[in-house]
Amino acid sequence: MTAQPPAILTMTGISKEFPGVRALDNVDFRLFPGEVHALMGENGAGKSTLIKVLTGVYGIDAGTVVLQDRPVNFHAPSQAQQAGVSTVYQEVNLCSNLSVAENIFLGRQPRRLGRIQWSVMNRRAAELLKRLELNIDVTRQLSTYSLAVQQLVAIARAIDIDAKVLILDEPTSSLDADEVAQLFRVMRQLKSEGVALLFVTHFLDQVYEISDRITVLRNGRLVGEYPTAELPQLELISLMIGKELADLEKLEEQPKRPISAVETGQPFIQAQGVARTGAVAPFDLSLHPGEVVGLAGLLGSGRTETARLFFGADRADQGQFLVDGAPVAIRGPMTAMSKAIAFCSENRRTEGLVGELTVRENIILALQAARGWTRPLSRKRQDELVDRYIRTLQIRPANPEAQVRNLSGGNQQKVLLARWLITEPRLLILDEPTRGIDVGAKAEIQKLVVELSDGGMAVLFISAELEEVLRLSHKIAVLRDRRVVTELVNDDTVDADRIMNAIASGAGRPADHLVAGPSDTDEVAA
Amino acid sequence: MSTAELTASRRTWRDWVPTKQLPVLVTLALFGLMYGVGVLQYRGFSDTQVFLNIFIDNGFLLVVAVGMTFVILTGGIDLSVGSVVALSTMVSSSLLTEKGWSPYLVMAVVLAIGSVLGFLMGCMIHYFDIQPFIVTLAGMFLARGLCYIISTDSIPINDKTWVAIADYKFRMGNYRLSVSAVVALVVLAIAVWILSYTKFGRNVYAVGGSEQSALLMGLPVSRTKIAVYTISGFCSALGGMLLTFYTLSGYGRGAIGLELDAIAAVVIGGTLLTGGSGYVLGTMVGVCVLGIIQTLITFQGNLSSWWTKIFIGVLLFAFIMLQRVIRLGRKT
Amino acid sequence: GDGEGGSGGGGADDGQIVLGFSQVGAESGWRTANTDSIKKSAEAAGIKLQFSDAQQKQENQIKAIRSFIQQKVDVIAFSPVVESGWDTVLKEAKDANIPVILTDRAVDSQDTSLYKTFLGSDFVKEGKLSGEWLVEQYKGKTDPVNIVELQGTTGSAPANDRKKGFADAIAAAPNLKVIASQTGDFTRAGGKQVMEAFLKAHKDIDVLFAHNDDMGLGALEAIEAAGKVPGKDIIIITIDAVKDGMQALADGKFNFIAECSPLLGPQLMDLVKKVHAGEAVEPRIVTEETTFTQEQAKAALPNRQY
Amino acid sequence: MSVTTVIRHRFFWPVLALVVLLVSNVFFTPDFFKLEVRDGHLYGSLIDILRNGAPLILVATGMTVVIATGGIDLSVGSVVAIVAGLACYYISKQPDQNAVSGVLTAVALGLGLALLLGLWNGVLVAGIGIQPIVATLILMVAGRGLAQLITGGQIITINSDPYDLIGAGYLFTVPFAILVALFVVFLAVLLTRRTALGMLIESVGGNAEASRLAGIRSRRITIMVYVFCAFCAGIAGLMVSSDVSSANGNDAGLWIELDAILAVVIGGTSLLGGRFSIAGTVLGALIIQTLTTTIYTTGIPPEVTLLFKALVVTIVCLLQSPAFRAKVFRGRRRPVAPPATPASEEPKVEVPA
Ligand SMILES: Nc1ncnc2c1ncn2[C@@H]1O[C@H](COP(=O)(O)OP(=O)(O)OP(=O)(O)O)[C@@H](O)[C@H]1O
Ligand SMILES: Nc1ncnc2c1ncn2[C@@H]1O[C@H](COP(=O)(O)OP(=O)(O)OP(=O)(O)O)[C@@H](O)[C@H]1O
Ligand SMILES: [Mg+2]
Ligand SMILES: [Mg+2]
């Protein structure tokens, strides 16, 4: 096509097979300097695999890679890095036992006379993060920060490496609009410096906002390469999903029941003055059967921590919960589950799945835990349940005996969701359930939430995508600085702007006594 | 607002106690407590030389434990250290006494043998993806077997240089430190420096934190992993040499079970066996704790053999419990 | 250490002799009996015993001896874990004017002034006595005699020495041949397992020589399970003469035992007193030991204390 | 089943190692595989291997589940010695050592104590949160002393026919010890695979935090596995003491923890926890016992024994390592490029056949 600058990276005829799965089949891919190239495809289409094959994480079965006119064959990510390819992989791959600054500079620490200069490193790390509008204590251990911060740190690390090619595999999956904007600003600047950017995301608006060119993969095969400007959104979706446009109409959203129809009778669960020192300030929140309550707030505002209290993942040290009007001490996940509460964590890799176990085992895990080890689910029953949810959520590969760790990121998320759905909870807490999920599946999940709530299930819904929260929730609790600042009934008057206003001018001051706890958080310049 | 201001304004008293170093500090405090008990309980315990003797008597253990710290920080383990220590005592003594080699050449050979063994184990662990426990267990059998091949008897060392080194004392007023104690402290200092001020040292922590992440971050994982086992092999060989300064002999059945002492010292010093967290200075405190337990028992002087073991167990238990209680107490 | 003079006699305030004793460990019944005997006789002799267990580690023994020196005991006695490497610490003891007595095993120091005396059994001799008895049994016969040997823990002194003594003795009779030799770690279980394997691998075993009674006792069970009669089909020679071993000998299951007595407490206390008083003592004192045949065992068994 | 499915089976290499070891014995002992009935019971080298391996099989089975939770139990050797000591001590104090009731009480006492010791380990690990290796190191050291305390550092010899049955007796011509080991292994398999326990253990070992958030009572499970492990070690203790009709506090079970861990790993269970295989462990234990027996029968001198052991362990582990097989058997397909100049590499295109 445009033959003006020669491609910096050309991949031809790439194939990659895992035992039982053909992840890539004769895929071609080109990347030009000074462009943002979006790699699109459904969950499991092979996007991450293509990236890993390129950077030497996996060996290539067949095909050639040419970087700057020279054929390359990397055997380790370090080689790719040295050749000028810098990568942010899909799951956050940092060392959470080290400080933020170290994570950014590992392997490239500023040194004098062979001695690492810690103060220089910390200063530069802070400066670098400020470029992404992140003001945090960089000497703190990375694990004390939320996933979103970790994602930003990974990005900071990648962009600081002086690279000719920058690969970002779903960097925005846990980021809020603000952070995304910052990231895009940085990406544009790099682009203007002639860096070639490869960008993977499931957010279509982001694709159209930033990318110049799109390559679509489906089932490990190349569908085609298109200039973004010439590819309408719906057509892109149909290319990814491989269905006709007409079929997509089904994914259109359904009308939501009005709140008056939901908030009747006794709430299923009520939080009264619940709080946890150093984590969340006292708050009240109630959920009725069939009600979807969204939590909105900026990154690190305490949505996750609030949700964890409902499940007993962390124990509340103030206030009380009423379930069906009766006080209940939620001491741990077991008590919560006995009250039919389910919690789908945002951090699927460390808090959700057991990578070594199979899809089937991961799905039945919570149900089995609730029954106790002496009453195993019969194999027949397991297969029934698992098959049903593999079909409903379109988990791929549709093999219940596949190891979960080998699934693509989005499919892992679906497995986690399935685990909680089969427990048939009365309250389902979904923390970023659509993180890393493709458009088709996302619509399915949203539809599912609506169906479930219609069926009488209460849902506590957290998402970095405000639109999603708005679309699904009957009521939205707005958080700021780990304090519930206001509660909005989601009627026609409420839109993204109003919520942003609520966040910005939120009623409460920052809770000073909270911010410096041991599980301290980042700050976001508002 | 600058970051510095931001963070400064948010500091509370908690921040003044360094969270990361806490396990080491707690261990140190408990060591002080035990020392105090010894001073109150036994005559002559307060003599500073008793304290220095801990280093003189355990110099070799300290060196071995320092090597072990590197390995454990990467999430591995090295069971071969005890046997490699024994092997180096055998190699030194047989080369010196039976072959009459020059002592400096012997030192070089011994250190080389240890490092090569460590290097080979590291390669097996990394390239063939075999669990460290098993590879080093095989290494343990191998080194011990080599000892017996050299001789099943103990071999004395009469070499002049060796004896001179063994007898040399650094004096500070009334107090003495042996060469091996000083060597051990130097090794410790070097290890502290490597682990906190070199790229390699930080890579050790990164690999221990998450090997996969380290790999994806483009760190030289293979080099790091192989290097830590080489270091451990080197330290074991050096430890074996220090042991020969202590005993002036080589014995194939020496240092049996030393690997457990070394691991215990590392872990008591606050390092996590899962890797990625800990300090080599903690290891020193761990060695001191083991040393003081031994000293207490010697001063006690009338424990029967089995009560000695039970007493060691009870002290270990008390120690670890206190460590836990103090740390938990801070968390909430 | 600084302080008052530091010559012998300053240990206990009441003029009681203080003996620092560093034991190898508690690795076997023999060793424990040894410890027991020393503790009991110290008490009987009115000697204050500072006991320390080295858990089979030379380092610990050196530490213990150093600590004895620091505590200014009157006499130091110890059973060395190994032969070599004692010069330094023994010199320290000598400088501090504390006499040293070796028990159970010798050290290989060139400078014999470092210790007053060595009280103990002679492992080589035990092996030799066993071998000589066997040679005697087959005197005048030329048929090949197949011997299997159960060794003690590899690298331990009794195993090395007994093996050597035995080999030296049977070298006199060319028809006696050790066809298999394996370690049974001085334990019954070890003896049993190894003997089982020997019985399968070698069809014509005439003699079993075990480095201690326990391995012999274990081997007994293996031999019986194989349908052979111990003491008849296979001649059994062992060392130690513990009660169970003597019983087997008296029952005709063993054929010969060379004694290795752990009960050297009384002798040791005598020596301690003499050494403390500055009397001259023999540099080498062999413990009173003997050998037993089946007949002798029957006679000796009733008053066997260990 | 095709040849490739056989070769691909995860037990292929360990089984091959076992077979090679067994067969190599034939060169030294021609009738190595011969089984005969002597004095009304089975007799032969294979039976010896099974019977002598029974304690190791037991301990390794217990160790497997502990390792599956990501833990380790160093104290099993001491538990073996304590239980052996206690049972024999009790029997030795009985007026009639042959009384079945006395023996049963001794067995119950021993196993009861084993359960308590396991509980102790479990509470230290799961309740107090001490690292398993240290928690069990405490009992490893102190327990050995305890065993010696019970036996007075001496060997307690007993003459009890009912007690002898456990380790040295026969039932239906088969050594009783083999039956006991089989039964416990069967029980373990049943408990872990017929209930959900196995999966929950693997989940805890695979990802402890995720398991907690899935509502698994990981604490309880962890305590349970340590109790089970000590129980297995306890039975092994009864077995070894009964085998030689005596208890030896100093030597019983010495270093058995290393052999057990080795067996577990040879059997394909990762020391990091997660997936476990009891069948694999039994296989591993048999390999180790066969190795020991082979050393005895082939007349390898004791000084070389350890070298030989190192060699075999290395070979077995190498064969088991997929990375090794990939690198060595199929040749290396991708030459390793020097990291600094990756771009100068010629592209290597391989098309899988
Ligand atoms: N290590 C592996 N072993 C086996 N199969 C794998 C492995 N890694 C990936 N796969 C399979 O390869 C296919 C492609 O996965 P990949 O991770 O590339 O998808 P993706 O396009 O990145 O999807 P997502 O949007 O969900 O991240 C999937 O079917 C996945 O199950
Ligand atoms: N398990 C934990 N341990 C320590 N600190 C934690 C933990 N979980 C959360 N935090 C801290 O608490 C802060 C509050 O984060 P939380 O995840 O609740 O916010 P959020 O609104 O969900 O934001 P995000 O969108 O980043 O997930 C986080 O920034 C993090 O630093
Ligand atoms: Mg992906
Ligand atoms: Mg969150």
Side-chain angles (χ1 to χ4, degrees), chain B residues 88-218:
Chain B
S88 6
T89 69
M90 283 311 269
V91 171
S92 326
S93 56
S94 75
L95 289 183
L96 286 169
T97 306
E98 286 166 6
K99 299 278 183 336
W101 284 28
S102 133
Y104 301 103
L105 187 61
V106 171
M107 287 184 192
V109 168
V110 166
L111 294 181
I113 291 179
S115 313
V116 167
L117 273 177
F119 175 78
L120 292 180
M121 289 189 287
C123 288
M124 289 230 343
I125 290 165
H126 181 75
Y127 288 112
F128 302 141
D129 200 15
I130 308 176
Q131 303 191 28
F133 195 98
I134 297 311
V135 173
T136 57
L137 186 65
M140 169 181 173
F141 293 155
L142 178 80
R144 189 70 67 184
L146 289 175
C147 289
Y148 295 152
I149 299 264
I150 294 173
S151 169
T152 49
D153 281 322
S154 66
I155 308 174
I157 297 177
N158 302 312
D159 179 82
K160 282 207 190 61
T161 321
W162 222 268
V163 174
I165 297 175
D167 286 345
Y168 188 81
K169 295 276 162 3
F170 293 90
R171 292 184 187 277
M172 298 160 286
N174 262 340
Y175 306 117
R176 295 164 273 118
L177 267 186
S178 64
V179 172
S180 47
V182 172
V183 169
L185 291 173
V186 169
V187 168
L188 179 77
I190 295 175
V192 168
W193 193 80
I194 289 181
L195 281 177
S196 42
Y197 290 112
T198 66
K199 270 192 189 181
F200 167 73
R202 301 320 295 173
N203 289 347
V204 167
Y205 281 89
V207 169
S210 164
E211 191 176 328
Q212 180 181 348
S213 293
L215 192 75
L216 292 182
M217 285 163 99

Side-chain angles (χ1 to χ4, degrees), chain A residues 61 71 75 82 313 353 361 373, chain D residues 196 207 212 275 335 339 343 345 350:
Chain A
D61 288 349
H75 302 306
Q82 272 153 8
L353 297 166
E361 287 166 323
W373 63 273
Chain D
N207 186 341
R212 183 179 80 89
R275 285 273 185 236
E345 265 298 314
E350 311 102 15

Side-chain angles (χ1 to χ4, degrees), chain D residues 215-271:
Chain D
I216 296 173
R217 290 177 171 81
S218 51
R219 219 172 256 198
R220 203 183 281 181
I221 287 180
T222 308
I223 292 179
M224 234 154 78
V225 296
Y226 281 93
V227 170
F228 178 71
C229 183
F231 180 71
C232 288
I235 300 179
L238 296 177
M239 214 176 255
V240 294
S241 59
S242 140
D243 189 20
V244 288
S245 302
S246 63
N248 182 342
N250 316 309
D251 277 311
L254 200 61
W255 303 121
I256 201 172
E257 60 278 352
L258 285 187
D259 276 346
I261 296 169
L262 191 59
V264 172
V265 174
I266 291 179
T269 301
S270 163
L271 281 170

